[in-house]
C-alpha cells in the first residue's frame, strides 16, 4: 500500500496544509455571557433617516421622540350620544335649540333651560357644561321632524361626559419616546400627532450566504450524489425577515479561499453585515476564520462559544474600503446550529444596530413537560409553549400551574436534525450538567427565550 | 324661542327619523363568550393556492402536508471532522488511504488497518463503520504533503458519529402537517423536503374604512375646526399587516346612507372582508347597522357586546353579487375601542379564514403590578409584560414570582384616549365587578391575551 494517496480534494493550498493543522481547536470556547456582551458592545447603531409619516411601518424604531402638533381633542367634544346641558339646571324638561354631530360646527349657545342634541365626538356648544346620555332622557315634544323638548331623567354632574380641549394630549407633549418600537398602536398615535415626517433608525441590511462544496440550491429538481440541499439560506433569510431586517441573498460559496474572499467582497458592496453558515469547524475546508483574519485583517472576537448547539460560532468585525464597521457572523453549517446561533448572536446585534433598546429576546419562566438530560455545555433547546387553558380547573391548580408548560420539539436534538426546529417558539436555557445535577425533572422551572409568536 | 331648529345636518333622511329613534339600544349586549363563538363558527376558510417553494413566506399556512421527496441525509455522512475507521480495529495506527470532504465522492473502501480522513458532512467510504474525531487522534507519518499514518487514541464504538441514510428523514415522511403556520424553521424544512410547490391557504384581503363627517385624512397639513385626524385607518391597516393580512385602504366615508352604500359596494369589488370604524353607536348619524341590514340584507350576528372597550362592536355577514360570504366588522370609532375590537373579533375571524387552527390569541397568566378597579363590563385592559429578569434572586423568589408582572399602559382607560394603546403587548382579561369584588389587588394573577411581540 505505498501508492500515492488518492484525494478528491483539488485545491493545493488545503492539501499542503493539512499535515500542519492543529488537532485541537485554536479557539478558546468562551462563555455565552462573554460572547453576548462582546456582541452588543461591539454593535453600534448606524444612522437615522426621515420617513414621511404615512410610510411609517411596524417594526421601525424612533430616532427622535414624536411630539404632538395638535391638542387632542382639538375642541370640547361629547363622549356620548345625548344632550349638552347646563349641569346646574338639574333634571326636568329642556328645549332642544340646536344639533351638533361629529364634524359639524355650531355657533349657538346653550342657555339655562335649553340643550343641544349632540352625538359622540361632536363639538359641545358654548354654555353647556355637561352631557346627558340619550338613555337617560325622554322625548316630550316634537314637530314631526325635529325634537323640540326632551326631559332629563338623571341629574347631570358638571363636566360629565365632556372631553376638554387637550385633555388627552396637549400641544408639544411627547407622545412616543426616542427608541420606541413602532407597532399598530404607535402608528395610530403618529397619525394623531399631526407630524408629517418621522426620524427613524436606519436598519442594517444583511447578506446571507452558505458555504460548502456539498451544497446545491434548494430549488434544484434533483439532488446529485454527494450533494445536499442548502436549507440554511432560505431559513436564515426568513428568520431575518421575520425580525424586520432587509436581506440580500449571497448565494452558495465554494470551500476555497478565493471564492470566500470574492463573495465577501461582493456582499460588502451591498451590506455591512454578513451572516454566513458553514466553514467554521475543524475540517480542512473550514477556511472562514482564516480568510477573515488573514485576508481581510478582521478581528475575530470569538471563534468558539461554550454552548450547544453552535460551539464554533464566530463573530468578526473590521473595516473594508471605507471606515464603516463591518460585522460578520459565521455560524455552523448544521441547520439547527445555524438557526439557533443566528437567533442568539446575529439578531441581538442587528437589533442594536437598528436602534433597539432591548436587544435580547424576552425571557419567561416555563415548566418542563418532560425530563431532560443535561449536557456538558449550556444548551438552548428548541421548545414550544403549551397553550392549554387552565382556567377551567382553577380550584385545583397551584400557583405553579400558572407557569406555562413547555414541550421540547423533539427528543433528537442533534444539530443536524432540522426537524427539531419545527414549531419552536422558545429556546429553553438549560444549565450545564454538574456532578449533582445530571437531569432536569418534569415540572422543573427554567428560563426560556421567546423566539417566535406565542 | 319658536324659530325652527337650526341644524348643521343636511341629510333629510336622518333629520326625519330622529324623533323616532329608540332611546335605548335595540341591540342586546351579548356576552364575549357568545360573540367569539359566533365569529369563529361563522368564518370559514376560503380556498387554497399553490406557490413555488421559493416564494413561501413566514406566516403562510399549509393547506396540505409537506412530504419528504429525499431522504436526509442522502448518504452516510460524518458528524465530525476526523477519520472513518472500522470500529473493531480499536485503538492504534491506521494508514490514511483516502480523503473525503463534504460534497466529494470516493469509491475507495476502508479495509482493516486503514482509515479515511473525513470532514463534517462528508460521505463515509464503504467499509468504515465509525468516525473518530480529530481531537482523539495523532499524526504519526506524512510525506510533507499528505497524512500517511495517524493514531487512534480512543477506542471507537460502532456507528459512532455517523449519520445513516434517511436517519433524520425518510422518503415520504410527513415533515409538516396540514395547517402548520410557516416560520423560518418551517421554511428551512420545506427547503430540505425537495418539494417544488407548496399548497397553502389563501389569506383574506381586508378593506379598512373609517366613517365620520368629522374625519380628515391623517396626512392633512392642518386640522380644520370641528375636524379630527383619522387615526383608525392607519392603526387598523398596520394591525392587520402585522398579522400578515393584505389590506386595502377604503378611505374615509361620510355619515350618509348613500356614501356608506357606495363605499361598501366598492370595497366588495376587492375584498370579502371589511373592517370599518365608527357609526355603530346610538348617535343619529350611526347608520352602519341599518345600512347593512336594510340596504344589503345582511345578517347582523351581534350589534353590541357586553365588554369594555368596544360595547357597540358589530358583526354582520351576507352575500353580494356572488355566493361568496362577505364579512363586516363594524367597530366603534374611538381609537382604543377600534383597536381592541379589531384584535378581539376581526383577527380571530381572519385567522380562521386564513386556515389557522388556533384562531385566538395565546393566553398567559400574569401578575398585576398595581391595583385595578373593576368595571361592570368585563374589560380588556391594555398592558405590557415586564421583562425584568428575576434570575439573580432565585434563592428568595417564590413560585409566584416566576409569573411575569404586567403593567397597565395608562391609568386613563377612556376609549378615546389613544395613548392607552402605547406599548401594549397584552390585553388583560378583567372580570366584571361584583358585590364582593370591586378591585383586583397588586399581585393578583389574571389571564392576559398576548397581542404583540413579547
Amino acid at each position: 500500500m505505498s501508492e500515492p494517496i488518492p484525494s478528491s480534494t483539488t485545491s493545493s493550498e488545503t492539501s499542503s496544509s493539512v499535515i500542519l493543522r492543529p488537532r485541537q481547536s485554536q479557539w478558546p470556547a468562551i462563555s455565552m455571557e462573554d460572547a453576548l456582551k462582546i456582541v452588543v458592545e461591539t454593535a453600534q447603531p448606524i444612522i437615522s433617516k426621515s420617513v414621511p409619516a404615512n410610510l411609517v411601518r411596524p417594526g421601525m424604531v424612533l430616532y427622535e421622540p414624536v411630539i404632538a402638533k395638535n391638542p387632542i381633542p382639538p375642541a370640547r367634544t361629547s363622549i356620548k350620544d345625548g344632550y349638552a346641558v347646563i349641569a346646574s339646571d338639574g333634571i326636568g324638561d329642556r328645549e332642544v335649540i340646536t344639533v351638533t354631530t361629529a364634524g359639524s360646527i355650531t355657533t349657538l349657545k346653550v342657555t339655562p333651560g335649553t340643550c343641544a342634541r349632540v352625538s359622540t365626538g361632536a363639538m359641545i356648544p358654548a354654555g353647556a357644561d355637561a352631557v346627558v346620555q340619550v338613555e337617560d332622557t325622554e322625548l316630550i315634544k316634537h314637530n314631526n321632524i325635529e325634537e323640540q323638548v326632551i326631559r332629563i331623567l338623571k341629574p347631570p354632574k358638571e363636566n360629565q361626559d365632556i372631553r376638554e380641549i387637550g385633555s388627552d394630549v396637549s400641544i408639544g407633549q411627547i407622545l412616543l419616546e426616542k427608541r420606541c418600537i413602532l407597532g399598530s398602536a404607535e402608528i395610530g398615535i403618529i397619525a394623531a400627532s399631526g407630524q408629517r415626517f418621522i426620524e427613524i433608525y436606519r436598519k442594517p441590511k444583511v447578506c446571507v450566504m452558505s458555504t460548502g462544496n456539498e451544497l446545491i440550491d434548494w430549488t434544484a429538481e434533483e439532488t446529485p450524489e454527494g450533494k445536499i440541499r442548502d436549507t440554511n439560506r432560505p431559513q436564515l433569510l426568513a428568520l431575518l425577515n421575520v425580525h424586520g431586517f432587509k436581506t440580500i441573498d449571497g448565494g452558495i460559496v465554494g470551500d476555497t479561499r478565493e471564492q470566500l474572499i470574492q463573495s465577501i467582497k461582493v456582499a460588502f458592496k451591498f451590506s455591512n453585515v454578513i451572516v454566513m453558515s458553514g466553514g467554521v469547524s475543524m475540517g480542512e475546508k473550514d477556511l472562514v476564520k482564516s480568510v477573515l483574519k488573514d485576508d481581510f485583517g478582521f478581528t475575530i472576537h470569538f471563534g468558539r462559544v461554550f454552548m450547544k448547539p453552535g460551539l464554533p460560532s464566530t463573530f468578526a468585525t473590521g473595516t473594508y474600503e471605507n471606515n464603516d464597521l463591518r460585522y460578520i457572523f459565521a455560524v455552523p453549517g448544521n441547520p439547527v446550529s445555524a438557526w439557533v446561533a443566528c437567533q442568539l448572536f446575529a439578531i441581538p446585534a442587528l437589533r442594536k444596530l437598528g436602534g433597539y433598546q432591548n436587544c435580547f429576546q424576552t425571557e419567561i419562566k416555563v415548566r418542563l413537560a418532560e425530563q431532560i438530560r443535561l449536557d456538558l455545555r449550556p444548551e438552548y433547546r428548541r421548545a414550544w409553549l403549551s397553550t392549554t387553558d387552565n382556567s377551567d380547573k382553577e380550584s385545583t391548580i397551584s400557583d405553579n400551574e400558572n407557569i406555562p408548560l413547555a414541550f421540547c420539539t423533539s427528543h433528537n436534538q442533534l444539530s443536524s436534525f432540522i426537524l427539531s426546529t419545527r414549531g419552536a417558539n422558545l429556546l429553553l436555557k438549560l444549565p450545564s450538567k454538574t456532578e449533582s445535577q445530571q437531569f432536569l425533572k418534569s415540572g422543573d422551572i427554567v428560563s426560556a427565550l421567546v423566539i417566535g409568536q406565542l
Side-chain angles (χ1 to χ4, degrees), chain A residues 147-413:
Chain A
E147 300 176 339
Q148 293 179 304
V149 176
I150 58 101
R151 182 168 297 160
I152 303 292
L153 303 173
K154 282 193 184 171
K157 285 182 217 147
E158 214 173 301
N159 300 321
Q160 160 184 304
D161 285 335
I162 291 180
R163 292 165 70 209
E164 292 297 334
I165 295 174
S167 58
D168 284 354
V169 169
S170 53
I171 292 185
Q173 185 180 334
I174 293 180
L175 300 180
L176 300 171
E177 302 281 352
K178 179 176 174 163
R179 299 214 143 186
C180 170
I181 303 165
L182 303 182
S184 56
E186 291 73 22
I187 286 172
I189 290 167
I190 286 174
S193 74
Q195 295 292 349
R196 303 288 299 114
F197 289 90
I198 303 294
E199 196 72 19
I200 59 160
Y201 280 93
R202 197 186 275 272
K203 289 212 173 161
K205 251 185 232 158
V206 193
C207 182
V208 175
M209 54 178 80
S210 296
T211 73
N213 291 334
E214 74 276 27
L215 300 177
I216 55 156
D217 195 80
W218 65 293
T219 58
E221 198 55 45
E222 298 296 333
T223 317
E225 198 188 352
K227 300 285 184 185
I228 59 167
R229 290 176 188 276
D230 173 23
T231 58
N232 285 349
R233 242 173 345 123
Q235 183 197 56
L236 298 179
L237 287 166
L239 175 61
L240 295 162
N241 292 153
V242 164
H243 281 85
F245 300 106
K246 286 207 177 114
T247 50
I248 293 160
D249 186 344
I252 294 171
V253 185
D255 287 319
T256 67
R257 192 168 283 274
E258 295 73 26
Q259 287 186 66
L260 280 169
I261 293 171
Q262 188 54 32
S263 300
I264 293 170
K265 282 183 176 173
V266 170
F268 279 160
K269 286 194 203 299
F270 304 102
S271 55
N272 283 346
V273 184
I274 298 175
V275 174
M276 56 201 299
S277 61
V280 289
S281 193
M282 287 287 290
E284 61 204 87
K285 301 284 188 183
D286 290 337
L287 302 167
V288 168
K289 284 168 184 156
S290 157
V291 164
L292 293 176
K293 197 160 155 272
D294 304 331
D295 295 287
F296 286 89
F298 272 32
T299 305
I300 311 253
H301 297 283
F302 53 80
R304 287 202 304 162
V305 183
F306 194 65
M307 47 89 76
K308 180 187 176 184
L311 180 69
S313 293
T314 298
F315 173 48
T317 59
T319 55
Y320 176 77
E321 279 192 353
N322 62 18
N323 284 327
D324 287 352
L325 198 59
R326 314 291 184 131
Y327 304 83
I328 297 195
F329 296 89
V331 297
N334 267 325
V336 182
S337 314
W339 193 69
V340 171
C342 185
Q343 308 247 21
L344 293 176
F345 302 116
I347 296 292
L350 290 165
R351 286 170 64 97
K352 179 84 182 287
L353 289 172
Y356 285 70
Q357 207 143 20
N358 296 320
C359 303
F360 295 115
Q361 289 86 358
T362 293
E363 252 180 80
I364 60 171
K365 300 284 180 181
V366 296
R367 261 184 315 141
L368 296 181
E370 62 214 302
Q371 174 174 288
I372 291 180
R373 178 195 290 269
L374 298 176
D375 193 84
L376 271 176
R377 288 175 270 160
E379 185 177 353
Y380 291 84
R381 193 171 282 210
R382 284 71 67 208
W384 50 270
L385 191 81
S386 162
T387 55
T388 314
D389 185 14
N390 276 328
S391 56
D392 292 343
K393 35 173 183 167
E394 44 199 307
S395 56
T396 57
I397 64 169
S398 68
D399 281 346
N400 229 4
E401 289 181 55
N402 283 319
I403 299 168
L405 270 182
F407 291 85
C408 291
T409 51
S410 163
H411 290 288
N412 180 350
Q413 293 272 326

Side-chain angles (χ1 to χ4, degrees), chain A residues 60-94:
Chain A
M60 290 179 173
V61 181
L62 290 183
Y63 186 77
E64 284 173 356
V66 172
I67 290 169
K69 264 182 71 181
N70 314 120
I72 301 176
R76 289 167 79 218
T77 49
S78 176
I79 293 177
K80 294 276 175 67
D81 296 315
Y83 299 87
V85 298
I86 296 171
S88 57
D89 280 357
I91 60 172
D93 293 359
R94 301 283 170 273

Side-chain angles (χ1 to χ4, degrees), chain A residues 9 11-21 284:
Chain A
T9 69
S11 165
S12 62
E13 59 173 347
T14 53
S15 301
S16 66
S17 66
V18 72
I19 57 162
L20 302 171
R21 67 168 166 167
E284 61 204 87

